[in-house]
Amino acid sequence: MPSILIIGAGLSGATLAERYASAGAKVLVLDKRSHLAGNCFDHLDQETGIRVSNYGAHLFHTNSQEVWDYVKQFATWRPYQHQVLVKVGEKLLNLPINLNSVNQFFELSLPDAEAMKKFLAKKRHKLAKIQSSQDYVLSMVGSELYEAIFANYSQKQWALDPSELDASVIKRNPIRYNRDNRYFTDRYQALPEGGFEGLVTKMLKHPNIKLQLETDFFAWKATADLSKFDQIFYTGAIDQYFDYAYGHLEYRSLDFHFERHNQEFYQATGAVNYPSLDYPFTRIIEYKHFYPPTKSVSSTVISKEYPTWDGEPYYPVPRQRNHDLLQKYQREAKKLENQGIYFVGRLGTYRYINMDQAIAEALRLFAKLTKKASEI
Ligand SMILES: Cc1cc2nc3c(=O)[nH]c(=O)nc-3n(C[C@H](O)[C@H](O)[C@H](O)COP(=O)(O)OP(=O)(O)OC[C@H]3O[C@@H](n4cnc5c(N)ncnc54)[C@H](O)[C@@H]3O)c2cc1C
């Protein structure tokens, strides 16, 4: 029976653990935290019965039939279509920018996509090359919307000017020429009953899987015999694995300030963004929009998000310095593959990936390695 070690009980680690265990391997999963599910972890707020995410709202969405078929095995899913508003002055505009938000912002009544395109064509900056987030937004919607929605938000979120940020950051939020107010347009959008905590608990519930929480890999390995594992999957931070030999990769973090309010709802949608510098936070999340509370309550729970450089490593900072450093770490990581050590997931690959990507990549890696093993 092959023996597998997995560092990290987030979705990447849990998917690999479940796949290997189901294929008959013996799997040990370590996590330094006191809970499983990684950053997707959530819990029921005792007082209100509202499900609250510990590390920021997590909303599942995917176009992948493979991922959807896979996750369906471990939970009953309730449909949830996310909507986001952005507060600009006294107005609340729909995000991503669409026909409704352009009409509201410019106080127009453009009837359709064609009219919106014609209108924005006059606003757009004609740039020869699109490199930064700033270039991208200016070339799509022009200065007014850029200033109102993106410039200060980026400054607060990343502590960088959007001219320093890769265009890829903003491209996650493309402009729409219709009135679709949903934040995501993926085919499958849903939340697991019992939360992501319940989902990952079920994934790891297998007689071949041993889960060891509150165990930091680096402290643990000092006395462990790693040679007894046939394969090791590491989902922690890639630079930490190499003891920061080339320097630290930058991460942006968030400080979550949770508040209970004695009112039915605090805001109209699950998320409202606050780009203005008048507010020190970037977003307010209201959890009651995601799951109905388990108790009948007239109160609600929100969290305000304050970006910071300290704390949990959440967002890789996509700028040149980090790309260069990452390449050096990736070269080292690649050399370890012939010893059966693989770097996986958000921290292991230093990329912002959604939950469905984390699962898809873990499924793909499992398929690739087991196919290779069966060919030997
Ligand atoms: C604020 C925020 C909001 C998000 N919202 C969404 C969303 O709405 N929809 C979506 O699809 N995705 C969202 N994501 C992305 C989502 O969190 C990731 O796709 C997912 O968590 C990736 O899973 P992972 O297993 O790769 O990483 P993680 O969940 O980070 O898991 C890694 C695990 O490794 C453990 N670990 C690290 N180092 C060690 C060590 N030395 N020893 C032992 N254990 C270790 C950590 O404790 C952690 O549990 C969001 C991310 C953030 C930061």
Side-chain angles (χ1 to χ4, degrees):
M1 193 189 260
S3 196
I4 307 288
L5 172 65
I6 295 174
I7 297 111
L11 277 177
S12 301
T15 304
L16 283 161
E18 186 283 325
R19 287 290 73 207
Y20 273 101
S22 296
K26 214 169 140 231
V27 184
L28 173 61
V29 182
L30 308 179
D31 204 298
K32 62 182 177 186
R33 289 174 173 163
S34 59
H35 60 74
L36 43 63
N39 282 350
C40 311
F41 183 68
D42 47 29
H43 69 279
L44 280 182
D45 177 49
Q46 290 293 315
E47 205 172 301
T48 59
I50 295 170
R51 186 164 286 285
V52 172
S53 306
N54 294 50
Y55 307 95
H58 274 73
L59 311 161
F60 186 83
H61 54 103
T62 190
N63 279 320
S64 161
Q65 189 64 45
E66 186 194 16
V67 169
W68 181 238
D69 288 341
Y70 179 71
V71 295
K72 267 195 319 190
Q73 302 172 65
F74 308 105
T76 306
W77 292 75
R78 57 187 317 272
Y80 171 75
Q81 307 252 356
H82 192 44
Q83 289 201 18
V84 178
L85 294 169
V86 54
K87 193 164 169 64
V88 176
E90 290 310 306
K91 290 177 181 156
L92 285 166
L93 312 177
N94 295 101
L95 211 66
I97 291 176
N98 63 12
L99 184 54
N100 290 335
S101 27
V102 167
N103 276 335
Q104 270 176 289
F105 181 76
F106 290 104
E107 297 180 356
L108 299 167
S109 43
L110 301 171
D112 53 25
E114 208 181 314
M116 178 174 166
K117 281 180 189 161
K118 227 185 237 172
F119 175 77
L120 288 180
K122 286 182 251 153
K123 301 277 172 197
R124 283 183 177 145
H125 291 210
K126 288 162 192 67
L127 304 173
K129 214 168 165 198
I130 311 288
Q131 268 173 327
S132 67
S133 285
Q134 181 181 38
D135 299 340
Y136 179 72
V137 181
L138 287 174
S139 72
M140 294 303 287
V141 296
S143 310
E144 292 106 316
L145 280 167
Y146 167 75
E147 292 297 337
I149 298 181
F150 296 99
N152 294 335
Y153 190 89
S154 290
Q155 188 68 45
K156 289 197 312 190
Q157 172 71 14
W158 298 100
L160 293 175
D161 193 85
S163 61
E164 287 182 79
L165 265 185
D166 285 1
S168 61
V169 179
I170 299 283
K171 280 186 180 168
R172 285 206 290 264
N173 237 315
I175 281 129
R176 298 207 187 116
Y177 296 93
N178 56 24
R179 295 183 193 273
D180 185 350
N181 286 338
R182 294 171 308 157
Y183 195 65
F184 306 115
T185 52
D186 301 51
R187 186 155 162 221
Y188 301 108
Q189 304 185 35
L191 294 170
E193 299 283 4
F196 288 97
E197 179 200 13
L199 174 80
V200 178
T201 301
K202 189 97 184 274
M203 289 170 79
L204 293 178
K205 204 171 161 66
H206 193 288
N208 290 356
I209 299 177
K210 185 179 170 207
L211 173 64
Q212 215 170 293
L213 296 173
E214 296 181 335
T215 306
D216 187 286
F217 170 64
F218 298 103
W220 175 88
K221 87 175 175 137
T223 55
D225 177 10
L226 291 184
S227 68
K228 71 178 189 200
F229 296 101
D230 299 290
Q231 266 155 340
I232 298 176
F233 297 95
Y234 173 80
T235 75
I238 188 168
D239 54 350
Q240 187 181 9
Y241 189 94
F242 297 104
D243 203 15
Y244 309 104
Y246 300 112
H248 285 251
L249 289 163
E250 290 170 307
Y251 280 99
R252 201 72 174 135
S253 191
L254 293 173
D255 227 346
F256 299 103
H257 291 205
F258 292 93
E259 297 172 8
R260 283 194 197 96
H261 288 263
N262 285 326
Q263 61 197 85
E264 195 65 34
F265 279 97
Y266 186 86
Q267 59 193 28
T269 51
V272 177
N273 288 9
Y274 287 80
S276 162
L277 296 178
D278 295 343
Y279 306 94
F281 46 84
T282 44
R283 270 206 304 203
I284 298 183
I285 300 292
E286 184 173 27
Y287 294 93
K288 218 176 177 181
H289 290 278
F290 307 147
Y291 289 94
T294 55
K295 299 176 188 172
S296 159
V297 281
S298 57
S299 52
T300 189
V301 180
I302 62 159
S303 64
K304 293 180 177 159
E305 299 185 356
Y306 294 79
T308 162
W309 287 114
D310 306 318
E312 292 288 334
Y314 287 143
Y315 299 106
V317 181
R319 61 168 166 161
Q320 201 52 48
R321 169 204 182 271
N322 295 318
H323 294 318
D324 296 344
L325 259 187
L326 178 62
Q327 278 188 356
K328 294 183 184 166
Y329 286 120
Q330 280 172 333
R331 275 198 287 273
E332 299 298 330
K334 192 82 195 147
K335 288 185 210 157
L336 296 178
E337 285 189 5
N338 54 21
Q339 294 174 39
I341 302 173
Y342 297 90
F343 289 72
V344 191
R346 199 180 51 89
L347 297 166
T349 61
Y350 189 71
R351 276 176 310 137
Y352 182 88
I353 51 172
N354 284 321
M355 293 185 278
D356 66 325
Q357 282 172 280
I359 294 167
E361 288 179 12
L363 290 176
R364 236 174 279 139
L365 181 62
F366 169 77
K368 186 177 114 185
L369 296 178
T370 45
K371 183 165 177 270
K372 218 170 167 187
S374 70
E375 285 166 359
I376 293 169

